[in-house]
């Protein structure tokens, strides 16, 4: 959940600098501020389960791939301003939220521990709300021009 910050990317700051729409700026701040709480909950569950959670390892294929993707997205977004930033960011966020929902559904289906299942169920609810909000912002900002 904290991969973007680990990769040195602060999307909220980028949105504050580049976005035109106050809705987009507020959305980026909301998403950025929500992740530390989720990370803390996940770390507590892992600790109770005796699972050591390590930071992304840029030396592994998966870690390098995720960090590289996040950095590429930040470079792309950093090259845009105003409406172009808003549209690209909100489209990216919408696609990401949809992907996260698929991953979370898989975790819910395979979780056997009630606390783990509850965490992922709560996460799914939050991500679905974020997705709906992102879709609403896209519709408000762009209407039929999406």
């Amino acid at each position: 959940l904290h991969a973007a910050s680990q990769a040195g990317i602060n999307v909220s700051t980028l949105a504050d600098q580049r976005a035109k729409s106050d809705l987009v700026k507020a959305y980026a701040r909301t998403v950025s501020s929500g992740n530390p709480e989720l990370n803390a909950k996940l770390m507590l569950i892992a600790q109770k389960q005796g699972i050591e959670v390590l930071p992304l390892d840029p030396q592994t294929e998966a870690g390098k791939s995720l960090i590289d993707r996040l950095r590429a997205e930040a470079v792309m977004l950093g090259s845009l301003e105003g409406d172009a930033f808003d549209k690209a960011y909100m489209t990216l966020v919408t696609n990401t939220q949809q992907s996260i929902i698929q991953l979370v559904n898989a975790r819910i289906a395979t979780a056997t521990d009630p606390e783990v299942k509850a965490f992922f169920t709560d996460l799914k609810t939050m991500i679905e709300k974020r997705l709906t909000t992102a879709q609403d912002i896209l519709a408000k900002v762009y209407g039929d021009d999406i």
Side-chain angles (χ1 to χ4, degrees), residues 79-101:
S79 71
L80 303 172
E81 287 192 54
D83 286 333
F85 177 93
D86 293 357
K87 191 171 187 179
Y89 173 70
M90 294 311 298
T91 300
L92 181 65
V93 166
T94 299
N95 293 338
T96 300
Q97 302 303 338
Q98 290 169 337
S99 296
I100 292 170
I101 289 171

Side-chain angles (χ1 to χ4, degrees), residues 24-75:
V24 173
K25 291 176 185 182
Y27 182 85
R29 281 191 293 273
T30 299
V31 170
S32 292
S33 67
N35 288 339
E37 182 181 319
L38 289 171
N39 287 338
K41 281 184 182 180
L42 184 58
M43 295 302 278
L44 184 61
I45 292 169
Q47 185 179 24
K48 286 180 185 177
Q49 300 279 330
I51 299 169
E52 183 180 4
V53 178
L54 302 172
L56 278 175
D57 182 353
Q59 302 302 313
T60 66
E61 186 176 332
K64 182 178 180 341
S65 176
L66 180 56
I67 290 170
D68 287 350
R69 190 192 89 216
L70 291 168
R71 286 184 178 152
E73 289 171 357
V75 167

